[in-house]
Amino acid sequence: MKVLEQHILDRGQVLGENILKVDSFLTHQVDTQLMKAMAQVFKDVFQEAGITKVVTIEASGIAPALYTAEVLGVPMIFAKKSKNITMTEGILTAEVYSFTKQVTSTVSIASKFLSSDDKVLIIDDFLANGQAAKGLIDIIEQAGAKVEGVGIVIEKSFQDGRKLLEAKGIRVVSLARLGQFVDGKVQFLEADA
Ligand code: G4P
């Protein structure tokens, strides 16, 4: 998605060898016009799939997921990273290991929000090693629901996330795909949409 690539070039900052800081439009401050445009692209790609729920994981997945759910006219559910005191029963959980942070966390969704009739689109801000998406797929499958695809804002294609998801037969649609950073500069691979 050319508009997104332009935002990354204009407003993103490369940190070290493999981190892209995009806090001015995606992970902290949120550019609502960009969110709307991205949501429309996800809608165009997935509109034939009969999506009934959009699922993401807190925190930075929420903005793109919410805009996408809105244009698809379906609810958005975000997996929680810490157990809330009101989540007392019927919780589906998965362990998510973060290579970046080197910690394992338990993510959860209340089982009442997913059923075997659901066709789910997972949306997330970054795809790196794919562990967050893998955990969400695990939870969605525990509910007997079907994962119709994974929509990603920024894929770090030099990490293994896409490979992991595609090996599970999951369709991955990334709006920007980053190759290895060279001299502190972002290189783009051809995006999916
Ligand atoms: P994975 O889920 O694909 O395996 O990712 P990984 O463990 O490597 O990443 C852990 C967290 O770091 C995730 O957010 C992910 O979105 C984020 N992340 C990974 N690479 C980058 C990057 O280059 N830039 C930025 N800005 N974030 C990156 P999280 O811990 O779930 O954070 P949040 O959504 O609560 O903010």
Side-chain angles (χ1 to χ4, degrees):
M1 184 185 177
K2 291 294 167 206
V3 180
L4 172 63
E5 290 179 357
Q6 200 55 52
H7 278 276
I8 293 170
L9 290 174
D10 293 346
R11 304 167 78 183
Q13 269 176 279
V14 169
L15 301 182
E17 285 183 3
N18 62 4
I19 298 293
L20 177 69
K21 187 170 174 175
V22 285
D23 62 347
S24 63
F25 62 94
L26 181 60
T27 60
H28 198 7
Q29 174 172 261
V30 175
D31 183 323
T32 57
Q33 293 308 310
L34 179 62
M35 293 298 134
K36 271 189 195 169
M38 295 193 304
Q40 194 58 49
V41 175
F42 284 134
K43 180 190 174 182
D44 291 345
V45 172
F46 286 103
Q47 66 183 352
E48 304 303 324
I51 302 298
T52 61
K53 302 271 165 69
V54 171
V55 168
T56 190
I57 186 165
E58 63 178 344
S60 307
I62 292 176
L66 185 59
Y67 278 81
T68 304
E70 204 271 335
V71 291
L72 287 169
V74 300
M76 184 277 286
I77 305 162
F78 62 94
K80 304 221 179 198
K81 285 181 182 161
S82 60
K83 205 172 160 188
N84 188 301
I85 51 163
T86 62
M87 289 177 88
T88 49
E89 57 191 336
I91 298 164
L92 303 170
T93 62
E95 301 292 300
V96 172
Y97 177 71
S98 169
F99 288 96
T100 310
K101 297 178 179 170
Q102 299 198 330
V103 290
T104 299
S105 54
T106 305
V107 302
S108 52
I109 291 180
S111 56
K112 64 184 173 185
F113 296 127
L114 288 171
S115 79
S116 55
D117 297 332
D118 278 320
K119 293 179 169 200
V120 178
L121 172 60
I122 294 173
I123 296 282
D124 211 352
D125 57 336
F126 272 93
L127 177 63
N129 294 295
Q131 297 302 303
K134 180 167 160 260
L136 293 177
I137 292 165
D138 184 357
I139 288 177
I140 292 159
E141 290 181 346
Q142 286 175 47
K146 184 157 188 293
V147 178
E148 292 292 335
V150 175
I152 296 294
V153 178
I154 302 175
E155 172 189 322
K156 294 161 77 180
S157 304
F158 51 88
Q159 292 182 259
D160 289 336
R162 173 180 284 261
K163 221 179 289 172
L164 179 92
L165 301 181
E166 288 183 342
K168 287 174 165 292
I170 304 278
R171 181 179 183 195
V172 179
V173 173
S174 301
L175 303 186
R177 301 186 66 210
L178 309 185
Q180 205 77 41
F181 303 158
V182 177
D183 296 331
K185 290 205 173 68
V186 165
Q187 318 282 320
F188 293 108
L189 308 185
E190 191 177 346
D192 300 303

